Amino acid sequence: MATMRAIDIKGGKGGIDALFINDKTPKPQVDHAKALVKVKCFGLNRMDLLQREGKYPVPPQAPKTLGVEFSGTIEELASESESSFKKGDAVFGLAYGGAYAEYIAVSTHMLIHKPDELSWEQCAGIPETWITATQAMYLIGEFAPGKSILWHAGASAVSIAGQQLSVANGASAVFATARSDEKADFCVKELGAKAGYNTETTDWAAEVQKATDGKGVDIIVDYIGPQTFAGNLNAAARDGRIVNLAALSGTAFKPGMPEPNFGLFVGKRLRFEGSSLRSRDEKYQGKLRDQLHDHALPKFKDGSFKVLIETVFDWKDIQDAHRLMESNKTKGKIICTVS
């Protein structure tokens, strides 16, 4: 059996020190509509930290190797692959897993041709981030021009993408929260948010109400969970949509967390909906790939949309990359190059 190098986890799960490069990893095979891509770069996502610890529900079709977004060149194509791709093409894309490796087998329905205007590192930071933001805004949040929107964790990669999408696509107002003044200011100065709020020092929900003359925001995209739940109910407008993508503050209400007024659900006619991208089928993800390609890619090419990269690591330093992500001090993507 052909082998390759890939990031592996000693014992199958564990802490950062368990990460290592395994040079005896089986090289993936392609069938149906898949391509074999030689990976140039891959992007880190918070789900990688959870999967490393055995705390993430990995889809059944995913390999055990971490990583869902990458850039690279096509080395082989299966018989049912999309006709627009050929061997040698420079591409980037989204996968169910396996990106922390020399090679990845991925459906051509989830690939995009790499533009000359973008680097390998930039392309590896687009797929999961921008597709997740698009899904949250449009498919779940029902965004339309003229609606207002609030992005929690404003300096996270998904919210950085989401704020740019919101401004470019006609939001009446874009708001963001973060855990420091520096990150809140970053959202305003660099991403075009109307206001950014430090959740550690301000009553952000009250400030959103003031900024909207008591109306509230039409869409809230949240990753925090219990800690922001009460504030979300207060900050949302009537008929608002609250989209929950993660629970970084835990999965249960704890003493000291703000108590939610559940009467606001009825009084405001709110909808609270959870969602994830990785668990979706290929057809669903493919539609989002098409939307990214048709609507966002031209703006990447002309520089209107920016892929903000915090740090680029050699993949030999994967432990340092995971430590940086766990620090919660980043503004933008962490990318690894495969050497």
Side-chain angles (χ1 to χ4, degrees):
M1 177 184 291
T3 60
M4 65 174 182
R5 295 177 298 160
I7 303 295
D8 206 342
I9 307 166
K10 295 174 185 176
K13 64 179 180 180
I16 290 174
D17 292 342
L19 294 170
F20 74 105
I21 294 179
N22 183 348
D23 60 4
K24 296 180 175 60
T25 304
K27 187 176 179 180
Q29 305 297 309
V30 296
D31 55 15
H32 302 296
K34 288 183 179 179
L36 182 69
V37 176
K38 184 174 176 58
V39 178
K40 291 274 192 179
C41 301
F42 59 82
L44 272 64
N45 291 281
R46 194 158 292 275
M47 74 178 84
D48 302 346
L49 308 183
L50 296 172
Q51 184 177 339
R52 188 197 72 224
E53 296 174 347
K55 298 177 180 178
Y56 189 91
V58 180
Q61 66 270 51
K64 70 172 186 176
T65 302
L66 301 171
V68 298
E69 59 184 350
F70 61 91
S71 60
T73 55
I74 294 176
E75 292 222 343
E76 185 181 344
L77 288 163
S79 59
E80 299 170 27
S81 299
E82 288 189 10
S83 60
S84 61
F85 295 102
K86 64 183 186 300
K87 293 180 182 179
D89 280 354
V91 295
F92 63 101
L94 184 68
Y96 287 107
Y100 284 29
E102 282 187 293
Y103 295 93
I104 185 171
V106 61
S107 170
T108 51
H109 304 320
M110 291 310 300
L111 291 178
I112 297 175
H113 288 283
K114 174 188 172 296
D116 293 337
E117 295 87 347
L118 297 178
S119 69
W120 294 108
E121 292 83 359
Q122 288 173 314
C123 286
I126 291 174
E128 169 69 16
T129 301
W130 286 78
I131 288 177
T132 296
T134 299
Q135 177 203 28
M137 277 180 64
Y138 286 96
L139 299 189
I140 312 299
E142 298 181 344
F143 176 84
K147 288 191 175 184
S148 56
I149 188 166
L150 165 68
W151 293 88
H152 282 299
S156 68
V158 174
S159 284
I160 287 173
Q163 288 167 80
Q164 293 183 73
L165 284 166
S166 302
V167 171
N169 293 330
S172 60
V174 180
F175 301 97
T177 69
R179 296 177 64 183
S180 71
D181 290 338
E182 178 194 4
K183 288 183 176 181
D185 291 343
F186 163 80
C187 294
V188 175
K189 295 175 182 177
E190 299 294 330
L191 305 176
K194 178 178 180 179
Y197 306 109
N198 182 343
T199 57
E200 302 295 301
T201 58
T202 62
D203 182 345
W204 58 269
E207 292 300 318
V208 167
Q209 283 288 337
K210 290 179 186 176
T212 57
D213 296 323
K215 178 181 181 293
V217 285
D218 298 308
I219 303 165
I220 298 174
V221 182
D222 179 63
Y223 322 86
I224 314 302
Q227 183 66 44
T228 49
F229 189 81
N232 288 340
L233 298 183
N234 293 333
R238 179 166 289 182
D239 295 317
R241 301 287 184 258
I242 302 170
V243 183
N244 182 258
L245 301 179
L248 297 179
S249 62
T251 56
F253 290 103
K254 300 172 185 175
M257 288 184 175
E259 291 189 8
N261 176 1
F262 282 90
L264 294 174
F265 264 123
V266 176
K268 292 185 176 182
R269 302 192 297 263
L270 299 178
R271 187 177 78 191
F272 180 96
E273 184 169 346
S275 187
S276 67
L277 178 61
R278 194 174 181 184
S279 62
R280 302 286 188 170
D281 62 32
E282 190 176 297
K283 183 177 180 181
Y284 181 98
Q285 292 191 5
K287 289 180 180 178
L288 287 165
R289 186 278 309 255
D290 293 345
Q291 190 168 353
L292 174 68
H293 177 275
D294 295 343
H295 300 290
L297 197 61
K299 292 184 180 296
F300 285 119
K301 290 181 178 180
D302 69 18
S304 301
F305 284 165
K306 295 178 172 58
V307 185
L308 300 180
I309 297 175
E310 174 73 27
T311 308
V312 177
F313 290 91
D314 186 286
W315 75 325
K316 294 184 180 71
D317 300 317
I318 189 62
Q319 293 186 5
D320 291 335
H322 272 232
R323 286 190 188 95
L324 179 59
M325 176 157 275
E326 285 194 347
S327 74
N328 294 319
K329 295 179 179 178
T330 59
K331 297 192 293 292
K333 294 295 295 187
I334 300 171
I335 304 294
C336 285
T337 58
V338 177
S339 57

